[in-house]
Amino acid sequence: MKILMATFWGLQNLGGIWTYIRQLSEWYAEHGIEVDVIGTDMQKETVYILKKGWLFEKKAVLPALHSSLSPHHVPALHADPYLAFLELNRYAYELGMAYLGTESYDLIHAQDPISAYSISRVMKRKVPLVTSYHGSLHLEGYLDELQINPDTRKEDYLLTPLGTYYKTMEQLGIAASDGFIVSSSWIQQLMQQFQAPGAAFSRIPYAVDLVQYDELATKQSSYSAPPNKKVIAFTGRLEYIKGIHVLLEAAAILKKYRGDFVIWIAGEGSMGPLYKEQTQNKGLKGHVKFWGMVDNVPSFLKNVHIYVQPSLQDTQPFSVTEAQLAGIPVIVADTAGMPDMVVEGKTGYVVPPSDAAALARKLDYLLTHPKVRTRVGTAARTWARKYRSLERQAKDTLAVYERYIKKDRMAERGQDEKTDVKIGRDARTEFLSTSPAFSLPHLPIASELLADLMSKLPADYRLPDRKVIKEEK
């Protein structure tokens, strides 16, 4: 069996999704299953296959794409600068995928809707395509907009060019896929709003490599709690969507009536400087410590008493499972897939999203009751070790791969199973054959590269993609 795991985004910028890809690919490699991982290097502007050294330089085509698809030629593409950036880079990604090859695999496991749809556009031979939706593009886009314009309504944002683009990509990713692997009921319900059939889903929660976790946890911790203070921790990207501002606000409320705590924040991100400034402005100096990137999270958690995941949207953070494995009571926001990760009052707690006062009350309760912390933390560890092991996740995911590979081979022999779910994999031909977009020979790139790409791309491949960039009336 030969599997390709693919993402449109930068591999090293994916946070928990990178952990998901890395853990699964390494487990499969150890068990004799060949897995390639393809993604983007955002800094070097390359599409590359991890560990093989095979790459495609986007600069070989991006200047030509910019000139051929300028605001003069395709004004709708440039209705929003970031939309134009994403879409032009998607075309470069598609050309890179074609150049590197996608058709020698038994199955492709896309990690986002953009990758799934892009792959479907460049395949000449049908390969089973399973997609994991790790979050929602349009909801994350809306949260990013709220950070800039707090009064923006979601329904208004979804009518903007960028909001429309994100929803379109999610819909096209669904139509391009044979099946889906999701981690939570939340993301499945969200996708089914885009007409994804329920029978096409396999729900497999995220997991942690218990052997690796235990090895890291045995190492001595260099993170010591201050005397007479309990540690409340968060680990992850310092981005608005993670809700760290809610945790800081809760800390400011908590500080008004008790001082026996310290907040440890481990991670880096674009919001780091702002959060440090907010810490100063809220008078939290001495109550909040930013550790930056932490290499050994299990060791870091050894001196933590409470873990908080206040995210505004988070499917199923690995950091919550890591805290549970450390025997720490967790508090998560009641949003996205996080409520699926705890049993209220038994293995953790759920608080309303963005409600700093409710979070402060729950923290106060746990700080006051050490026996409760121990009981809940112990139950969380037992639950996580039983239900969140990488071996269990990898075997369940492999069973999905095998099912779709079997379906594909039966279809080739004209023996389709009657239970097959048809989602609509042929949408590409349906619209591109009548689209007034240009074919690849019109792209002014090096002749040798052009000839290579033309031999690998479907004959009806066109730019721009009129399924996404609608024609001006």
Side-chain angles (χ1 to χ4, degrees):
M1 184 185 298
K2 188 176 181 183
I3 305 298
L4 176 65
M5 303 183 79
T7 179
F8 169 74
W9 306 105
L11 284 174
Q12 305 299 335
N13 306 89
L14 286 173
I17 302 173
W18 167 236
T19 301
Y20 175 89
I21 294 171
R22 177 183 54 78
Q23 285 191 158
L24 278 181
S25 61
E26 289 178 355
W27 193 93
Y28 290 138
E30 290 172 3
H31 291 79
I33 300 168
E34 186 176 353
V35 179
D36 283 337
V37 177
I38 192 166
T40 302
D41 186 315
M42 296 297 193
Q43 285 71 43
K44 296 180 180 179
E45 289 200 322
T46 59
V47 182
Y48 69 105
I49 297 180
L50 189 68
K51 295 183 179 179
K52 281 193 171 179
W54 299 355
L55 60 83
F56 174 82
E57 293 189 354
K58 291 198 289 185
K59 66 182 180 182
V61 296
L62 271 176
L65 290 170
H66 279 284
S67 64
S68 300
L69 302 170
S70 67
H72 173 73
H73 294 103
V74 193
L77 174 62
H78 299 271
D80 181 286
Y82 191 56
L83 185 159
F85 170 82
L86 286 174
E87 189 69 350
L88 289 171
N89 272 274
R90 184 172 74 85
Y91 301 155
Y93 174 78
E94 289 181 347
L95 298 177
M97 291 291 289
Y99 179 84
L100 294 171
T102 61
E103 296 172 11
S104 64
Y105 298 94
D106 296 304
L107 179 137
I108 299 173
H109 185 179
Q111 303 300 315
D112 58 85
I114 297 178
S115 179
Y117 177 55
S118 296
I119 289 168
S120 75
R121 275 179 32 93
V122 301
M123 281 196 295
K124 293 176 72 174
R125 180 185 74 84
K126 181 184 178 299
V127 175
L129 178 60
V130 174
T131 302
S132 285
Y133 275 56
H134 297 285
S136 167
L137 284 175
H138 74 272
L139 290 181
E140 287 187 30
Y142 170 60
L143 291 173
D144 288 341
E145 181 64 25
L146 278 184
Q147 183 180 346
I148 303 169
N149 301 306
D151 296 328
T152 304
R153 298 187 309 163
K154 184 170 74 172
E155 54 267 35
D156 293 334
Y157 172 76
L158 294 179
L159 294 175
T160 66
L162 193 56
T164 301
Y165 178 80
Y166 284 144
K167 286 196 71 173
T168 299
M169 293 312 304
E170 288 178 320
Q171 292 169 328
L172 291 172
I174 286 171
S177 304
D178 292 304
F180 311 98
I181 297 174
V182 296
S183 63
S184 70
S185 57
W186 167 77
I187 192 66
Q188 178 174 338
Q189 291 166 6
L190 189 69
M191 292 170 66
Q192 287 186 257
Q193 294 176 12
F194 294 125
Q195 287 73 56
F201 286 90
S202 299
R203 195 184 307 170
I204 305 173
Y206 297 149
V208 170
D209 185 335
L210 297 182
V211 174
Q212 186 180 78
Y213 182 95
D214 292 341
E215 289 176 354
L216 291 171
T218 60
K219 298 184 183 299
Q220 185 174 356
S221 176
S222 58
Y223 307 96
S224 300
N228 303 316
K229 289 196 176 184
K230 300 295 185 292
V231 177
I232 301 163
F234 165 86
T235 65
R237 294 179 292 121
L238 306 192
E239 303 295 346
Y240 180 76
I241 197 170
K242 293 295 184 178
I244 302 163
H245 57 284
V246 182
L247 176 57
L248 294 177
E249 184 62 36
I253 296 171
L254 197 61
K255 178 177 173 287
K256 293 177 181 178
Y257 45 88
R258 67 187 307 156
D260 61 338
F261 71 93
V262 61
I263 308 281
W264 282 3
I265 297 176
E268 293 179 349
S270 65
M271 296 290 288
L274 179 60
Y275 291 143
K276 291 175 183 178
E277 182 181 333
Q278 289 178 355
T279 297
Q280 294 290 333
N281 294 341
K282 294 178 184 298
L284 291 171
K285 186 177 181 181
H287 284 279
V288 178
K289 182 167 180 62
F290 291 87
W291 288 100
M293 288 301 296
V294 170
D295 293 331
N296 186 337
V297 171
S299 178
F300 174 80
L301 293 170
K302 288 169 76 170
N303 290 319
V304 171
H305 300 86
I306 304 168
Y307 183 84
V308 178
Q309 192 75 32
S311 304
L312 309 182
Q313 178 184 304
D314 228 331
T315 308
Q316 280 195 346
F318 282 95
S319 52
V320 172
T321 302
E322 289 173 327
Q324 290 172 322
L325 289 170
I328 302 168
V330 300
I331 304 173
V332 302
D334 188 10
T335 183
M338 292 188 292
D340 289 1
M341 303 185 75
V342 301
V343 179
E344 176 66 29
K346 294 183 178 180
T347 63
Y349 299 90
V350 180
V351 295
S354 300
D355 192 335
L359 176 56
R361 289 193 296 271
K362 191 62 68 177
L363 288 169
D364 181 50
Y365 172 75
L366 287 174
L367 288 170
T368 304
H369 296 88
K371 290 183 179 179
V372 174
R373 294 200 308 268
T374 299
R375 172 176 56 79
V376 174
T378 300
R381 180 194 290 128
T382 301
W383 181 87
R385 294 195 75 87
K386 182 177 181 180
Y387 294 108
R388 293 295 188 262
S389 74
L390 175 60
E391 181 177 8
R392 181 173 181 157
Q393 180 195 30
K395 288 182 177 179
D396 288 348
T397 303
L398 184 61
V400 174
Y401 293 170
E402 291 172 338
R403 185 166 74 248
Y404 281 99
I405 291 170
K406 178 184 177 182
K407 283 183 179 182
D408 183 62
R409 290 174 180 169
M410 291 182 71
E412 287 182 351
R413 296 194 299 266
Q415 298 174 344
D416 286 330
E417 294 177 335
K418 293 186 179 181
T419 56
D420 275 5
V421 177
K422 302 299 183 184
I423 302 178
R425 288 286 305 278
D426 297 326
R428 172 175 55 78
T429 304
E430 178 184 320
F431 80 92
L432 282 176
S433 59
T434 60
S435 171
F438 66 79
S439 57
L440 206 62
H442 292 82
L443 199 63
I445 59 177
S447 57
E448 184 177 341
L449 174 59
L450 180 61
D452 192 11
L453 289 172
M454 287 184 64
S455 70
K456 294 175 178 177
L457 284 162
D460 57 2
Y461 183 80
R462 300 288 187 274
L463 295 172
D465 182 352
R466 293 297 187 188
K467 197 79 168 184
V468 179
I469 306 301
K470 309 297 183 183
E471 293 182 68
E472 300 278 327
K473 297 294 184 183

